[in-house]
Amino acid sequence: MTHRRDPSRSHLPSLLIADDDPVICSLLTAQLSRSFDVVASAGDAEQAIALAVEHRPDIAIVDMQMPAGGGLRAAREMHALAPATAIVALSADESDGMVRDVIQAGAIAYVRKGVAAHELMTTLRRSIEAHVLLSSPAPGDPVTIATAGTQL
Amino acid sequence: MSPDGSVHEAIDAIWHANRGEMARRIATLEEAVCALRSDELDDELRARAICDAHKLAGALGMFDLATGSELSRELEHSLEAAGGPLAGELARLAELVLALRAEFENRMSARQVADLTPSPPPTSKVMP
């Protein structure tokens, strides 16, 4: 699912949600649409990669267990094709191996599936702040200033 | 209405729209545990139960049913174990499914009470 950005919401960070459970997609949209402009949602890895390339969202929440290759593959390809997108991995698997794989795939944060909405918001906020810090180019760059000024 | 109020309303609406699907997922787990009891849990039913337990674990937590989420996670892990659950785990699995069903029904009851609560009467009336 995709939609054209509403100009009145262009001050909000753009968000892509990728999860094969439509209930999760609906819940994340309801919880996050006040602070993010949800530009697209994907039901599998192939769709997630295509939508990330099309929309270049500021942030993407990606379920690690999705059809068509899985979330790790989606994260790797999104990181390669849309490197400015901050990827947050969503998974029920908390093992050290999964967390390591997720970071190696290019994700900047990991959220355990099933966390309450306020924990999710805190993680997303910190992810964006960290992503801006880590990817800051020279001072005065207008893109960085616009992103850093985003209020959540 | 406060912004948080509108988010809660949106989440309630999503619950209302998807409660049938949540019930279906729980029914799959009940079916799997029954099949296990009679040693008839085949690979297809086991795979469906694992998938539905996984989806419940994710969604229930986001509906603020943290206990339901943990119950589903434990069911998922037991069903996923190599060779399937052991005979000795059957009682525990039955307990988990019963508790999960109870969590779901409690959420349903709370929603129904909220739906049935009448609006307060008007506080003023214009007299002729």
Side-chain angles (χ1 to χ4, degrees):
Chain A
M1 186 202 75
T2 185
H3 72 260
R4 188 172 294 173
R5 283 204 81 171
D6 178 350
S8 70
R9 293 172 64 80
S10 61
H11 62 288
L12 298 173
S14 55
L15 173 67
L16 163 67
I17 296 171
D19 196 299
D20 62 325
D21 186 350
V23 178
I24 297 285
C25 286
S26 298
L27 281 167
L28 287 171
T29 301
Q31 288 168 342
L32 301 175
S33 59
R34 197 155 55 96
S35 300
F36 295 86
D37 184 17
V38 181
V39 295
S41 60
D44 62 43
E46 284 290 346
Q47 207 177 29
I49 295 161
L51 288 171
V53 170
E54 179 186 347
H55 290 278
R56 308 279 168 171
D58 295 309
I59 193 162
I61 300 176
V62 182
D63 177 23
M64 289 295 104
Q65 284 161 295
M66 279 195 297
L72 276 178
R73 179 200 156 218
R76 280 189 206 105
E77 297 211 19
M78 285 162 66
H79 183 61
L81 298 171
T85 297
I87 299 168
V88 174
L90 191 63
S91 178
D93 181 352
E94 288 183 291
S95 64
D96 290 345
M98 170 54 80
V99 175
R100 183 188 58 238
D101 288 346
V102 148
I103 299 302
Q104 283 177 353
I108 62 164
Y110 166 92
V111 175
R112 182 174 178 249
K113 253 193 181 177
V115 296
H118 66 275
E119 285 186 58
L120 176 61
M121 278 303 302
T122 300
T123 300
L124 289 174
R125 192 178 296 119
R126 287 179 185 162
S127 301
I128 288 190
E129 288 166 4
H131 188 64
V132 167
L133 281 172
L134 289 172
S135 58
S136 292
D141 182 294
V143 173
T144 302
I145 290 170
T147 305
T150 302
Q151 295 298 312
L152 291 178
Chain B
M1 176 178 297
S2 71
D4 283 344
S6 68
V7 172
H8 285 308
E9 273 214 352
I11 291 174
D12 265 353
I14 294 167
W15 173 266
H16 189 77
N18 290 282
R19 64 192 192 285
E21 173 58 17
M22 297 291 126
R24 186 204 61 72
R25 291 173 184 177
I26 294 172
T28 300
L29 294 173
E30 290 165 334
E31 185 187 350
V33 170
C34 276
L36 189 61
R37 187 174 276 144
S38 48
D39 201 21
E40 289 174 348
L41 180 63
D42 60 28
D43 289 345
E44 186 269 335
L45 177 54
R46 186 175 158 214
R48 273 197 292 124
I50 291 168
C51 179
D52 282 344
H54 178 79
K55 289 190 157 132
L56 280 167
L60 291 178
M62 296 178 74
F63 282 122
D64 283 335
L65 291 175
T67 302
S69 178
E70 292 303 326
L71 293 167
S72 303
R73 206 176 306 279
E74 191 176 341
L75 278 159
E76 181 194 0
H77 290 160
S78 289
L79 288 164
E80 263 182 335
L86 301 171
E89 295 177 67
L90 184 56
R92 175 62 182 159
L93 290 177
E95 265 177 30
L96 290 171
V97 159
L98 275 172
L100 181 58
R101 172 61 72 176
E103 280 283 297
F104 174 75
E105 297 296 342
N106 285 342
R107 181 47 156 106
M108 291 290 289
S109 299
R111 183 75 171 82
Q112 282 159 1
V113 165
D115 284 346
L116 291 171
T117 301
S119 304
T123 55
S124 64
K125 188 184 283 188
V126 176
M127 300 297 291

